[in-house]
Amino acid sequence: KGNLLDISMNGAAFLLNESLQKDEGLLIRLINRRIDQLIDTTATVVRCSRYGTDEWKIVCRFRKSLTFEQIHLFGQWLRSDRLV
């Protein structure tokens, strides 16, 4: 589980408490509990870098672009979104 930092139609950045390898495949579930919405998608890790003392910032590219409507649902609530 992680916290979503940024999202676009083509990818996302999030924090995890473990590192991931570049080019690693991911199954991602984006959850917005405030509006009870979720998106399941697949992605590939583009970059992984240490973030603070015990977290990693993961940047990934979605294998299939999200729609503008999906981005709007999650982008406006970044502080409350979760990633599973």
Side-chain angles (χ1 to χ4, degrees):
K1 293 185 178 184
N3 289 314
L4 187 64
L5 296 174
D6 193 17
I7 190 166
S8 72
M9 293 176 78
N10 296 315
F14 53 93
L15 295 180
L16 283 181
N17 60 1
E18 63 183 284
S19 66
L20 299 177
Q21 297 298 313
K22 183 179 180 198
D23 297 323
E24 186 172 342
L26 302 174
L27 296 173
I28 296 176
R29 173 167 281 175
L30 297 162
I31 301 170
N32 186 322
R33 297 185 196 290
R34 287 185 144 191
I35 57 173
D36 196 30
Q37 294 288 322
L38 67 88
I39 297 171
D40 289 324
T41 191
T42 56
T44 303
V45 175
V46 174
R47 186 171 50 255
C48 177
S49 56
R50 186 168 286 284
Y51 191 89
T53 58
D54 59 353
E55 289 185 302
W56 296 86
K57 181 179 178 182
I58 311 297
V59 177
C60 66
R61 177 174 296 136
F62 298 133
R63 292 188 179 155
K64 180 182 177 189
S65 296
L66 300 181
T67 66
F68 176 78
E69 290 78 16
Q70 289 171 314
I71 297 305
H72 182 71
L73 282 175
F74 286 84
Q76 68 180 341
W77 302 103
L78 276 178
R79 298 274 182 232
S80 64
D81 295 346
R82 298 286 295 169
L83 178 101
V84 178

